[in-house]
Amino acid sequence: MRRKYPFSIAEIARDAGVSCATVSRVLNDQEAVGEELSARVCAAIRAKGVDPNEYILQTTSHGKLILFTLPFDFNSFFNEIIKGAKASATQHGYQLLILQEHINSNTYPGFEKTIRNLKISGIITLNHIKRELMNSLSRLAPVVQCCDYDLSSQSVSSVSFDDQKMARTAVDYLISLGRRRIAFLSGPLKYSDNAYRREGYLQSLRANNIEPVPNWIVHLPEVNYSMANSTATQLLSQPVRPDAFFAISDLFACAIVNAARRLNLSIPEDLMIIGYDNVDYSMIASPTISTINTPKFQFGYTACELLIERIQNPDAAVQHISLPSELILRESTAGR
């Protein structure tokens, strides 16, 4: 299907002093066009009040690269997601390039240059990206958002877990076991998944007529074991301490387990713990940790499938997909 432009190819060619064929090659992102000619064509398009980047086709003939970006606070949760995304990319003949970098106003110029120079076909991001930068990014290439997803976006698709529902399920279960002094340990609230899990936690408390204790709702600046261990030690050393924790990662849950053991608290008798994501160390911890099992491989695979659909069909509808999770019960909430 021929693409429709809000300008005449012939007019752009005349204004830029090039042939119609040259304009066509620029719009189709052909490497045969030199930088000087390409700049003249883009300037002529821009003079029409149109951003040329919105109409230059990001073709898949130059390496077929998909960029997978994630923040610096990398942890084992990402491993299976990357495997899933890579499996989908390979099936469709794409290569997956992984970039570990924060994306903000300071790093964005270099990030944009990387996308253009490598002729990236599309982007999967697990980063927190402000809306204005995300809008700019989505004009460079199709984007699928994960973790820090925006369900209201009309330009960027997303894949998420049913975070709010599962947080409420976890806290409801702790309450069903008689626990009412339940703490919440989270990463940065700027990430949508953490915000939704916090809301599920609060919904459960409110539904069970439990007043939240502000000091027991903690948002650490990153997913870091030492920070979580120190925080848990401090909360569990108080005269009135939590009798349960809901943590947004199994790494945090492990830190809580070790803090409790150092304080000679028995799990699950004195303290119950539920983590999130069901990564390997939730099963090898002692005691083993109850957790929310998230389909991480499917998460990455689905994100890449959505992205490739947008690459191959730029007119494809934006989609927001939520994958179901489940509560896995282990020793941290039940007797040995």
Side-chain angles (χ1 to χ4, degrees):
M1 179 182 296
R2 292 176 60 86
R3 289 182 294 157
K4 295 181 180 180
Y5 306 109
F7 48 78
S8 164
I9 297 270
E11 287 179 349
I12 298 300
R14 183 194 65 218
D15 294 348
V18 300
S19 68
C20 290
T22 296
V23 175
S24 179
R25 284 196 294 271
V26 170
L27 292 172
N28 286 280
D29 206 20
Q30 299 296 315
E31 286 183 327
V33 182
E35 289 186 10
E36 190 269 337
L37 286 179
S38 179
R40 282 161 56 185
V41 170
C42 288
I45 295 173
R46 201 173 284 111
K48 299 287 186 184
V50 177
D51 183 355
N53 294 323
E54 295 185 9
Y55 294 93
I56 295 178
L57 177 65
Q58 299 295 315
T59 65
T60 59
S61 59
H62 306 300
K64 299 186 72 172
L65 282 175
I66 289 174
L67 186 62
F68 187 108
T69 76
L70 62 157
F72 277 113
D73 48 346
F74 181 87
N75 59 73
S76 59
F77 164 71
F78 296 126
N79 290 341
E80 287 298 309
I81 295 177
I82 293 172
K83 289 179 182 177
K86 186 175 182 179
S88 170
T90 301
Q91 287 178 6
H92 291 280
Y94 289 80
Q95 290 183 306
L96 195 69
L97 178 65
I98 299 172
L99 177 65
Q100 194 171 353
E101 175 71 272
H102 290 303
I103 301 174
N104 52 44
S105 57
N106 293 324
T107 62
Y108 185 80
F111 187 67
E112 179 180 356
K113 186 176 180 180
T114 297
I115 294 170
R116 294 188 184 280
N117 289 346
L118 295 180
K119 299 191 180 296
I120 297 297
S121 299
I123 302 162
I124 300 171
T125 179
L126 279 71
N127 294 69
H128 169 70
I129 304 175
K130 291 185 176 180
R131 180 170 293 185
E132 57 271 22
L133 285 183
M134 180 59 76
N135 290 337
S136 298
L137 188 62
S138 65
R139 288 193 289 267
L140 293 175
V143 181
V144 172
Q145 232 179 340
C146 304
C147 295
D148 187 40
Y149 46 91
D150 180 2
L151 299 179
S152 67
S153 176
Q154 300 298 311
S155 59
V156 176
S157 294
S158 71
V159 182
S160 61
F161 301 121
D162 46 358
D163 294 300
Q164 187 169 314
K165 174 185 174 184
M166 292 313 302
R168 181 164 181 172
T169 297
V171 179
D172 281 348
Y173 182 72
L174 291 170
I175 293 172
S176 75
L177 297 177
R179 305 299 159 126
R180 299 184 67 82
R181 303 193 308 275
I182 304 171
F184 176 69
L185 185 56
S186 170
L189 200 56
K190 66 183 181 181
Y191 286 96
S192 302
D193 51 0
N194 291 339
Y196 279 115
R197 292 170 194 180
R198 178 180 182 271
E199 182 56 33
Y201 160 83
L202 292 173
Q203 282 182 351
S204 179
L205 295 188
R206 289 193 292 262
N208 288 276
N209 298 314
I210 299 174
E211 186 68 27
V213 178
N215 291 341
W216 293 354
I217 302 174
V218 181
H219 300 283
L220 299 179
E222 59 184 270
V223 179
N224 178 283
Y225 173 87
S226 296
M227 289 183 185
N229 184 264
S230 176
T231 298
T233 299
Q234 181 181 11
L235 294 181
L236 293 173
S237 299
Q238 295 175 353
V240 178
R241 56 171 177 79
D243 59 10
F245 267 91
F246 172 52
I248 59 90
S249 80
D250 290 332
L251 181 69
F252 281 179
C254 284
I256 297 165
V257 166
N258 289 334
R261 293 179 66 177
R262 189 165 58 251
L263 295 170
N264 296 316
L265 297 175
S266 178
I267 301 172
E269 291 79 10
D270 297 323
L271 182 70
M272 290 186 177
I273 304 163
I274 296 179
Y276 217 105
D277 291 328
N278 195 29
V279 296
D280 289 346
Y281 38 75
S282 69
M283 293 176 274
I284 62 177
S286 180
T288 56
I289 297 171
S290 296
T291 185
I292 304 296
N293 180 52
T294 53
K296 295 169 284 298
F297 183 93
Q298 184 185 355
F299 187 78
Y301 189 92
T302 301
C304 196
E305 290 289 305
L306 274 182
L307 181 65
I308 291 172
E309 182 180 0
R310 292 295 303 279
I311 293 170
Q312 297 179 347
N313 179 14
D315 295 326
V318 168
Q319 299 183 60
H320 298 289
I321 297 177
S322 177
L323 301 180
S325 307
E326 61 179 336
L327 176 61
I328 303 295
L329 301 178
R330 298 197 179 106
E331 294 171 342
S332 67
T333 57
R336 294 175 185 272

